[in-house]
Amino acid sequence: MELGKVLNKEQEAKNCLADFATKIAEKKQALSDVIDSGKKIAIFEITGKELYLYGKSYGRGGAILYDELGLHAPEKVEKAAFEKGWASISIEALPEMLAMPII
């Protein structure tokens, strides 16, 4: 809305936000049909030998996934990555962070 005010396009900003809210509601419903409510998700990136976890404030879609769509990360991921926005971990630590067994 602030950008709409600055550009003197408040109505366009309101329309855009309303469209966004509608799309989020539709996507939440679609996700609830395929993802159990108790499931956790994590955003991570592997680059060479480095592995990064991302929270909700460091891009990579975290704000949309966690704040808007209401999805949740495993507790260890939240503790490691949410305050700073990201965390670097070893690949060996990934199963523990995601609370899943090594296959």
Side-chain angles (χ1 to χ4, degrees):
M1 279 306 300
E2 293 304 313
L3 190 55
K5 289 176 187 176
V6 169
L7 298 174
N8 198 29
K9 294 188 176 199
E10 290 181 64
Q11 189 57 50
E12 288 92 333
K14 286 179 185 177
N15 293 344
C16 183
L17 289 172
D19 289 344
F20 180 76
T22 300
K23 288 178 184 178
I24 288 293
E26 290 170 357
K27 297 304 178 190
K28 275 178 118 170
Q29 181 59 50
L31 285 173
S32 73
D33 292 343
V34 294
I35 298 177
D36 293 335
S37 62
K39 294 288 183 183
K40 307 287 184 174
I41 66 157
I43 304 166
F44 61 93
E45 175 180 6
I46 300 172
T47 58
K49 294 183 180 183
E50 303 284 330
L51 190 140
Y52 300 95
L53 295 171
Y54 295 101
K56 54 181 157 181
S57 64
Y58 204 77
R60 311 299 196 283
I64 300 288
L65 293 172
Y66 299 123
D67 291 336
E68 300 295 334
L69 294 173
L71 299 172
H72 301 282
E75 184 178 340
K76 289 185 179 187
V77 172
E78 286 186 9
K79 286 180 181 178
F82 276 39
E83 184 176 331
K84 187 177 177 181
W86 64 278
S88 176
I89 66 167
S90 69
I91 291 177
E92 293 80 17
L94 185 60
E96 178 185 344
M97 295 298 286
L98 299 181
M100 58 187 280
I102 299 175
I103 299 176

